[in-house]
Amino acid sequence: MFSRIVRPAASGLIRGLSTSAQNNARVAVLGASGGIGQPLSLLLKNSPLISNLSLYDIAHTPGVAADLSHIETRAKVTGYIGAEQLPESLKGADVVVIPAGVPRKPEACAKTCPEAMICVIANPVNSTIPITSEMFKKHGVYNPNHIFGVTTLDIVRANTFVAELKGLDPARVNVPVVGGHAGKTIIPLISQCTPKVEFPQDQLETLTVRIQEAGTEVVKAKAGAGSATLSMAYAGARFVFSLLDAMNGKEGVIECSFVRSEETECTYFSTPLLLGKNGIEKNLGLGKLSAFEEKLVGEAMGELKGSIKKGEDFAKNFKKTASINLLKCDTLEERSAVKRSVLFKMAAWYE
């Protein structure tokens, strides 16, 4: 199924950095001052696909924006700081990327730019995408074709690790990775790799575990001083450039992403998606799985369902708790304090 697909991958990132493509996309990065947000914003600033880059965070954003604004590329960079400036940072956005802070930011997106494409990097994606969806449902603007959990780093890692083992150019390797974005819910479909590769069963199992636990590999290598920020920024940029290409009318753009799905018994699931002007044009599904991959999918279902339910319950309980607490308030000051405290807890829980 996937042998006929030419993935965006590294070439997609290069397209994003080339000077030949032109577009006027407005992209907002929510969480732009963080470990992922800064290198991601740098990559986006270098893309001629983007005319306006809006950076938001709770601290340091004006400095990040000023720094990036000195780069000799066409994207105009503006920095916003603090909750009161969040709505302004989202005005007119075509694409919103969220590397940190869920769900306060998706709720702001639902109010300010409901038609924008929402790309959630903030972990745990298996729960933050259900939360994001619930926030959009709450405001009556939910479009499942516009909300993406960015799992691209799993694909990037799988491509790299397979290429290393087989002596291939990683830019020409494509391994679809399905399921979710944590531990055993990450399911690399090595049988569908292009070019076709084969591994002995023991090596296949070792490779699969390495892909699933690659985040831990980085944390250990950094001696606990950080996690995968640079590779995640690359992966996030790759997904955004692919999405912008598709929105710009380019045909045949395919990326895996954790989205609302009917492909399995889970209500959200990552599979290869054909992207188009309006987001998801077609879910390409799982394709033909090997017996080993079928086993991995089956084993992932319980954990994935639990994470999805956790996200949905969290969003619903937040609405209920906030409403009850607000009813107890006698003054506007008290209501503001409750809103700030609840929203802070929700954002901090995922950052």
Side-chain angles (χ1 to χ4, degrees), residues 123-150:
N123 277 318
V125 167
N126 294 355
S127 295
T128 55
I129 286 300
I131 286 178
T132 301
S133 299
E134 291 300 316
M135 291 299 168
F136 273 71
K137 289 176 185 177
K138 171 187 174 182
H139 293 281
V141 292
Y142 178 55
N143 184 340
N145 293 328
H146 287 188
I147 297 176
F148 302 90
V150 180

Side-chain angles (χ1 to χ4, degrees), residues 25-60:
R26 299 178 66 89
V27 177
V29 181
L30 308 186
S33 297
I36 297 171
Q38 288 200 44
L40 172 62
S41 298
L42 173 61
L43 291 170
L44 296 177
K45 172 66 172 89
N46 276 285
S47 172
L49 298 172
I50 299 169
S51 60
N52 287 272
L53 186 60
S54 174
L55 308 182
Y56 170 84
D57 215 322
I58 58 175
H60 310 304

